[in-house]
């Protein structure tokens, strides 16, 4: 996240009003809830993990042992079980 100078993006009156509360500090303005993205949605990593998990489930149904899957994907046996038994 990059910082922006308030003078460059806000009306002068609003900057003066904000200066009544904070001067020379950092102010975080959160995204509206309706515009928030879930973790990994912007980068596409969430979809990538879902595809990997689907492949793990498919291989397990095809007869691959949990220990083999853990080794193949570099995950713990616990993590593989979590993937297999998630809803």
């Amino acid at each position: 996240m990059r910082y922006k100078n308030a003078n460059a993006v806000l009306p002068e009156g609003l900057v003066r009003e904000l200066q009544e509360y904070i001067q020379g500090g950092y102010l975080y303005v959160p995204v509206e809830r309706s515009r928030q993205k879930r973790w990994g949605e912007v980068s596409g990593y969430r979809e990538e993990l879902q595809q990997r998990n689907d492949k793990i489930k498919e291989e397990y149904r095809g007869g691959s042992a949990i220990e083999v899957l853990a080794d193949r994907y570099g995950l713990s046996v616990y993590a593989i079980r979590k993937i297999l038994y998630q809803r």
Side-chain angles (χ1 to χ4, degrees):
M1 172 175 54
R2 293 183 43 208
Y3 291 102
K4 296 181 181 177
N5 186 320
N7 289 321
V9 295
L10 299 174
E12 185 180 332
L14 182 54
V15 172
R16 278 197 304 268
E17 180 70 24
L18 287 169
Q19 286 172 331
E20 295 293 321
Y21 299 93
I22 184 171
Q23 288 191 26
Y26 297 107
L27 179 66
Y28 173 73
V29 179
V31 175
E32 292 178 38
R33 282 204 183 271
S34 63
R35 294 183 180 187
Q36 284 181 339
K37 303 277 187 203
R38 291 174 39 184
W39 175 88
E41 285 182 335
V42 174
S43 68
Y45 193 58
R46 177 178 288 276
E47 179 63 31
E48 193 176 316
L49 286 180
Q50 186 59 52
Q51 289 173 1
R52 181 206 63 188
N53 293 351
D54 291 344
K55 189 167 168 89
I56 288 171
K57 290 174 184 178
E58 183 180 318
E59 290 180 29
Y60 179 73
R61 285 191 298 265
S64 292
I66 290 176
E67 292 78 10
V68 171
L69 293 170
D71 188 51
R72 183 177 299 146
Y73 289 94
L75 298 170
S76 68
V77 169
Y78 175 77
I80 295 292
R81 284 189 180 129
K82 215 169 138 181
I83 291 166
L84 293 174
Y85 303 126
Q86 73 185 6
R87 293 181 182 184

